[in-house]
Amino acid sequence: MPDRFILTPSFLDQPMPAFLPLARDGDPVIQPPLPAGDIQDRLSAIHRPLTAAVAAALGEGLRPISFAGDCCSTLAVAAGLQRQGRLPTLLWLD
């Protein structure tokens, strides 16, 4: 199964442009515009497209590999896997 790298260059709701050089051509970079409001609204704005990108990768027969700046992104990755009927096994490197 080929890999699909998904880059989320943020730490919680703060942009982390130093991560951008990790992006590969053709792989998604999750950088949505963030709404004004509390941190939960802002994190949701990041996690929804990350969830969708993980589910889309699986739907295309690709292995999603997420590079993100915080542990909260794991929830979005797990949700994307579950959308495609997968029970996730997570490798946590901290």
Side-chain angles (χ1 to χ4, degrees), residues 6-10 14-20 23 28-34 45-46 49-50:
I6 304 167
L7 179 62
T8 307
S10 61
Q14 300 301 308
M16 299 288 290
F19 286 0
L20 289 173
V29 176
I30 308 300
Q31 283 187 296
L34 300 180
I46 295 168
L50 176 54

Side-chain angles (χ1 to χ4, degrees), residues 3-52:
D3 296 333
R4 162 73 48 86
F5 291 94
I6 304 167
L7 179 62
T8 307
S10 61
F11 177 76
L12 299 174
D13 64 338
Q14 300 301 308
M16 299 288 290
F19 286 0
L20 289 173
L22 297 173
R24 300 183 331 171
D25 286 340
D27 288 330
V29 176
I30 308 300
Q31 283 187 296
L34 300 180
D38 63 24
I39 191 169
Q40 287 84 9
D41 292 336
R42 294 167 64 80
L43 286 175
S44 291
I46 295 168
H47 292 161
R48 282 188 199 106
L50 176 54
T51 296

Side-chain angles (χ1 to χ4, degrees), residues 44 47-56 58-59 75-88:
S44 291
H47 292 161
R48 282 188 199 106
L50 176 54
T51 296
V54 169
L58 284 170
L75 298 172
V77 172
L81 294 170
Q82 290 174 335
R83 277 190 187 173
Q84 290 291 331
R86 306 291 176 96
L87 297 176

